[in-house]
Amino acid sequence: MAKTTFQRPKGTADILPDQVYQWQKIEAVARTLFDRYGFGEIRTPIFENFEVFARSAGDTSDVVTKEMYDFHDKGDRHMALRPEGTAGVVRAYCENKLYGPEHEKPYKVFYMGPMFRYERPQAGRFRQFHQIGAEAFGSDSPALDVEMIAMVVDYLKNLGLKNLTVAINSLGDAQSRAQYRQALIDYLKPHFDELSSDSQTRLEKNPLRVLDSKAPQDQAIVAQAPSILDFLSPASVEHWQAVQALLDQLNISYEIDSSMVRGLDYYNDTIFEIMTNDESLSGAATIAGGGRYSGLVEEFGGPATPGVGFAIGVERLISLLAAQGQLPADQADVDFYVVNIGDEAQVASLAVTQQLRHLGYKAQRDYLDRSAKAQFKSANRTGARFVITIGASELEKGVVALKNMASGQQHEISLNELTQAVPTIMQAASQGE
Ligand code: HAM
C-alpha cells in the first residue's frame, strides 16, 4: 500500500522545541512586565460565535469579509476561529460581568495565543499566527492610552529591540467621524471610476475603509484625501492633545500618521501602531497595533464602557528579534550525561540519572545500548558539562567515573557519596569557567 504523507496547512508553522523554548522566554518577559502594570492573564475560547467577530471587527473589514475561518458545527451553529483577541475578551467581559462594582477599574487583562486569518501567506503573514495582547476597560483617560503605548514600548525595549517607530492617529468620536465621513465621500466621489471595486463598495458603506486599501490605484487617490485630524470634535481634540502631551512627558517619541485607520472597525479616538524599518519584514512591518474602542462593550450587551488595547504579532516579533540578533539563548545544555556500559550498569545508571535530576540538574543517559564511544558522542551533542561512566569495573568498586568535559579531568567518586559531592563539583566547575 502506498504511504500517505501529510504537510501542515498553508500559512501555518510547526514550532519546534528549541523555538518553543525561545517563545516561552519572550512570553515570560511579557508576563512579568504586564503584571507590573497590573494586568492579569485571561484565556478565552479559540472559537466563538461568528457574530462575535462580525459585529465587532466590522462588516466592511477584510478580516470579516474575506479572512474569517468560519464554519457550521454539527449543531448548525455558525462559529469562527478567532481572527483577533479583542472581541472574545469583550464578550467575556460582558458575560462574566467584569464591569461589576467588585472589580477594580480600569479592568486590565492580557492574553497570548493563536489567531486565524485566511490571508495570502508571505513573510510575516500567516493563516495561524500568535498575538500577545492586552485590553483595559472602564476609563476614558488619555493617560490610559499612553499607559498602553508605554507598556508595548517597554516590552519591546526589554526584549532588546531597536529602531522602532510609534505611529499614532486619532479617529475621533462619533461626531468627528460623521463630519469626516461626509468630507471623505465628497472627496472620493469624483474619483469613483478610478477606485478598486472593493473601495467602490466601501465608499458608501464605510468610506474610512478606503483609506486602508492596499490597491495601488486607491493609494494614489487616498494620499490627497482630507485628514481626519481636521475634523475632530472639541472633545476629541482635547483627548488627542492630551495623549501627545503625555507621550512627550514620558519621552516616548512618536510620529503622527493621519492616514492610519487600522484594519478593524471598532476604533475611535487614539489608534497606534509600532513598526520596524527592518527590511526582512518589509511587507509586514507592523509589529503591534491597537487603540481605543468605546462602543464595543455596549454593542455586546454590557453597560457603556470604554476600552483600549493592543496586540503584538509574535511571529513578526520573533523575526525582528532574529534580524537584530536579540533572540533569547537556546535551551541550556545538559549538566550530566550518564554513559552506561553493559547490562549490569543499566539499573545503577538509571538510579544515578534520577538522583541528579532530583538534585535539580539536567541529566540524560543512553537508552539504545550504544557503544561507550557513541554514548560519548551523544554527550557532546547534548553539550554535557560532565560525563559519568558506569561499567562493570566501576560497579565492582562501587564508584562512578566523572569526567569534566571542559578540562578533560577525570576521577572516581564513590556511588554512595555522589549526591553529596555533586553540588560542590558543579560549583567549582562554574567558578572555573
Ligand atoms: P491587528 O492590527 O489586526 O490588531 O493585529 C495586531 C498584530 O497582529 C499586527 O500588528 C501583526 O503584528 C499581527 N498580525 C496580524 N495579522 C497577522 C498575520 N496574518 N500573520 C502574522 N501576524 C499578524 C488586532 O488584532 C487588534 N485586536 C489589536 C487590539 C487590541 N486593538 C485593541 N485591542
Side-chain angles (χ1 to χ4, degrees):
M1 205 169 65
K3 280 190 186 165
T4 317
T5 58
F6 294 106
Q7 288 175 332
R8 58 180 180 261
K10 214 172 145 187
T12 67
D14 298 315
I15 309 166
L16 303 178
D18 275 348
Q19 296 163 298
V20 170
Y21 185 80
Q22 295 175 320
W23 281 57
Q24 287 172 339
K25 290 259 158 149
I26 288 161
E27 290 162 2
V29 175
R31 287 201 160 87
T32 308
L33 185 77
F34 294 0
D35 178 54
R36 226 177 273 165
Y37 277 79
F39 287 72
E41 183 170 349
I42 187 166
R43 300 185 184 189
T44 63
I46 304 267
F47 62 94
E48 299 264 1
N49 277 305
F50 174 80
E51 279 301 312
V52 168
F53 306 114
R55 281 240 195 132
S56 56
D59 58 5
T60 55
S61 71
D62 278 352
V63 169
V64 171
T65 55
K66 299 183 184 159
E67 297 171 0
M68 198 97 83
Y69 274 93
D70 64 322
F71 57 96
H72 285 86
D73 72 7
K74 294 186 198 304
D76 206 29
R77 297 173 199 89
H78 194 185
M79 313 301 287
L81 300 185
R82 61 182 188 192
E84 57 110 42
T86 311
V89 170
V90 172
R91 199 259 320 126
Y93 180 80
C94 294
E95 189 167 345
N96 296 286
K97 298 193 170 53
L98 301 175
Y99 45 76
E102 67 277 29
H103 297 292
E104 179 63 14
K105 283 194 179 52
Y107 188 82
K108 298 171 169 181
V109 289
F110 74 91
Y111 49 89
M112 30 186 92
M115 309 289 163
F116 307 84
R117 296 184 192 178
Y118 193 80
E119 296 200 75
R120 198 165 60 79
Q122 51 189 293
R125 207 172 284 280
F126 305 95
R127 291 186 172 167
Q128 174 170 334
F129 61 98
H130 296 74
Q131 285 185 344
I132 297 179
E135 315 290 343
F137 297 95
S139 164
D140 268 327
S141 169
L144 188 59
D145 306 16
V146 171
E147 178 173 287
M148 295 311 259
I149 297 173
M151 187 162 91
V152 195
V153 168
D154 264 2
Y155 175 56
L156 300 175
K157 275 197 186 148
N158 278 2
L159 291 174
L161 288 180
K162 297 198 174 61
N163 300 331
L164 295 169
T165 306
V166 178
I168 59 170
N169 192 21
S170 172
L171 293 177
D173 51 14
Q175 187 195 336
S176 320
R177 271 201 311 287
Q179 283 188 42
Y180 179 58
R181 187 190 146 90
Q182 197 47 54
L184 193 57
I185 292 177
D186 292 346
Y187 167 77
L188 290 172
K189 271 251 165 90
H191 298 284
F192 187 83
D193 293 339
E194 301 152 58
L195 290 172
S196 68
S197 62
D198 265 357
S199 289
Q200 288 178 344
T201 320
R202 285 165 175 174
L203 180 59
E204 286 299 335
K205 274 180 136 179
N206 185 359
L208 261 78
R209 273 279 123 252
V210 178
L211 299 182
D212 200 34
S213 168
K214 309 276 178 299
Q217 75 261 44
D218 294 344
Q219 286 179 343
I221 297 165
V222 159
Q224 307 297 322
S227 159
I228 177 92
L229 294 176
D230 295 328
F231 294 84
L232 296 183
S233 69
S236 285
V237 167
E238 198 182 315
H239 190 98
W240 173 230
Q241 286 176 345
V243 165
Q244 293 172 67
L246 289 162
L247 286 170
D248 291 337
Q249 282 285 323
L250 294 186
N251 281 322
I252 296 176
S253 44
Y254 57 88
E255 285 172 8
I256 295 172
D257 176 357
S258 64
S259 66
M260 187 210 303
V261 288
R262 312 251 322 112
L264 302 152
D265 280 351
Y266 46 62
Y267 295 107
N268 57 271
D269 287 305
T270 321
I271 52 172
F272 57 92
E273 289 187 343
I274 298 185
M275 355 256 256
T276 167
N277 48 21
D278 202 280
E279 278 175 16
S280 59
L281 277 174
S282 56
T286 308
I287 302 299
R292 250 193 190 281
Y293 46 92
S294 295
L296 265 192
V297 173
E298 214 175 354
E299 174 88 18
F300 279 48
T305 308
V308 55
F310 67 80
I312 302 164
V314 180
E315 284 79 2
R316 293 187 192 179
L317 177 62
I318 286 183
S319 297
L320 193 59
L321 286 166
Q324 297 193 3
Q326 296 291 350
L327 271 182
D330 279 352
Q331 201 150 0
D333 288 337
V334 163
D335 297 313
F336 292 94
Y337 192 96
V338 181
V339 168
N340 54 81
I341 304 163
D343 286 346
E344 40 304 41
Q346 290 297 322
V347 176
S349 87
L350 188 56
V352 165
T353 310
Q354 284 296 85
Q355 270 175 25
L356 292 165
R357 289 172 180 158
H358 293 162
L359 286 171
Y361 299 108
K362 292 179 70 157
Q364 298 288 358
R365 53 154 279 182
D366 174 75
Y367 287 102
L368 301 172
D369 290 331
R370 287 176 294 190
S371 68
K373 194 173 157 202
Q375 292 188 47
F376 263 92
K377 263 196 185 164
S378 269
N380 276 328
R381 213 173 9 246
T382 60
R385 298 169 73 190
F386 291 92
V387 172
I388 287 177
T389 306
I390 310 178
S393 67
E394 283 82 11
L395 281 179
E396 211 165 288
K397 290 193 265 175
V399 298
V400 300
L402 179 89
K403 182 171 181 184
N404 180 328
M405 298 298 275
S407 67
Q409 279 174 357
Q410 183 162 329
H411 64 279
E412 288 184 345
I413 302 180
S414 149
L415 252 177
N416 298 332
E417 285 162 17
L418 190 65
T419 311
Q420 289 96 311
V422 159
T424 322
I425 292 165
M426 287 301 278
Q427 212 175 358
S430 299
Q431 280 161 1
E433 275 166 6

